[in-house]
Amino acid sequence: MRYGIFGDIHGNLEALEAVLADMEAQGVTHPLCIGDLVGYGANPYECLEIVRALGCPVVRGNHDDWVTQAKNPTSFSEDARRALDFTRKKLNPGQLNYLRRLPYVKLGDTWTLVHATLDGPENWGYVSTRLEAETSFLYQKTSLCFLGHTHRPAVFIKDHEVRPIEFRRVDVHPERLKVSRKFLFNVGSVGQPRDGDWRAAYAIYDAKSEIVELRRLNYDIDRAAQKILKAGLPESLSKRLFKGE
Ligand code: ZN
C-alpha cells in the first residue's frame, strides 16, 4: 500500500491537479485527505468534487467547517472572510452537506488523520512547537499521525522525548531503535504553502518500506493566481501564492 496524504488545498485547482498527477506517477494506491478543501482559492467547487470523487478518507478542516456556517468567525482576517463569502456562494447545498458530514478524526490501522491537533480537533489549535506536539501525542493511539493546518511541512518524533526531525525521507520502522516510537507528520499544503516554498506539498507513506517522503511540485501558479484576481478575491491572496506565505 502506498498512501498519498494531502490537504490544505484551499480551492487551488492547478495545485491539486499537479498533486493528483504526481500521486498517479508515484504509484499511490490510497489517498488520504487532511481537510481544508476550500477557502482562499478560486475553484472550491471543482476541488471539492475531485476530492469527493476519490472516495478516500477525508477529515474536516476549519475552512470546511466555517463555510457551512451562516456567520464568519471573528478571528478571521478580512481577506479570509471575503474568501469565505465567495466560497459559500460557489458551493451548492449538496456540497455544503458533504462538508458538514466530514469527521474531525479518521483512524486507520497504523495511522490517524486530523486537520489541526488530536487534543480538541474542533478547536483548530496549531502544532508548531515541541510542547504542542507533546500534547497532541497524548491522544495519538497509532504510530503515525498525519495533519496540516499550519501549511508548513514538519515532523515530530516521540520516543524517550519529543523532538522535531527533518522531513524529507523518514524511516518509521519502529524496531530499528528497539523502542516504540510515534510520529506526527505535518504534510504541508497543496494550495497555499507558507514555508517560503511556493510549490505544492504532500506526502507519500509506503507501508511496505515504512518510509514517509515529502513531495514538492511545480504547478501552473500563474493560472491559479490569475483566477483569484478574476474572481474578485483579494489581491493579497493571489500574491501570497508566489511567496509561499
Ligand atoms: Zn488551511
Side-chain angles (χ1 to χ4, degrees), residues 147-194:
L147 49 72
H149 196 39
T150 66
H151 297 204
R152 293 186 177 95
V155 191
F156 288 91
I157 181 171
K158 177 189 165 71
D159 36 40
H160 49 280
E161 59 168 5
V162 172
R163 62 187 190 282
I165 57 171
E166 198 195 354
F167 194 174
R168 286 164 62 140
R169 283 171 65 83
V170 180
D171 185 346
V172 296
H173 194 288
E175 263 128 47
R176 198 147 299 185
L177 287 177
K178 298 284 176 206
V179 287
S180 78
R181 292 183 296 175
K182 284 183 188 172
F183 293 85
L184 194 165
F185 290 91
N186 187 319
V187 299
S189 168
V190 171
Q192 197 198 72
R194 295 178 191 162

Side-chain angles (χ1 to χ4, degrees), residues 88-151:
R88 232 175 246 131
K89 282 186 211 136
K90 289 282 167 193
L91 300 182
N92 64 38
Q95 291 181 311
L96 291 170
N97 273 333
Y98 168 80
L99 295 177
R100 273 188 202 104
R101 284 196 298 266
L102 290 178
Y104 287 102
V105 179
K106 270 269 185 190
L107 271 182
D109 49 355
T110 54
W111 48 261
T112 306
L113 289 188
V114 68
H115 182 68
T117 73
L118 283 176
D119 51 299
E122 69 288 352
N123 297 329
W124 313 119
Y126 292 95
V127 177
S128 303
T129 66
R130 217 149 100 162
L131 188 65
E132 287 159 351
E134 212 166 330
T135 313
S136 190
F137 271 127
L138 294 174
Y139 298 83
Q140 186 177 324
K141 308 282 185 239
T142 56
S143 55
L144 309 178
C145 175
F146 299 103
L147 49 72
H149 196 39
T150 66
H151 297 204

Side-chain angles (χ1 to χ4, degrees), residues 8 10 36 115 151:
D8 287 300
H10 288 293
D36 269 1
H115 182 68
H151 297 204

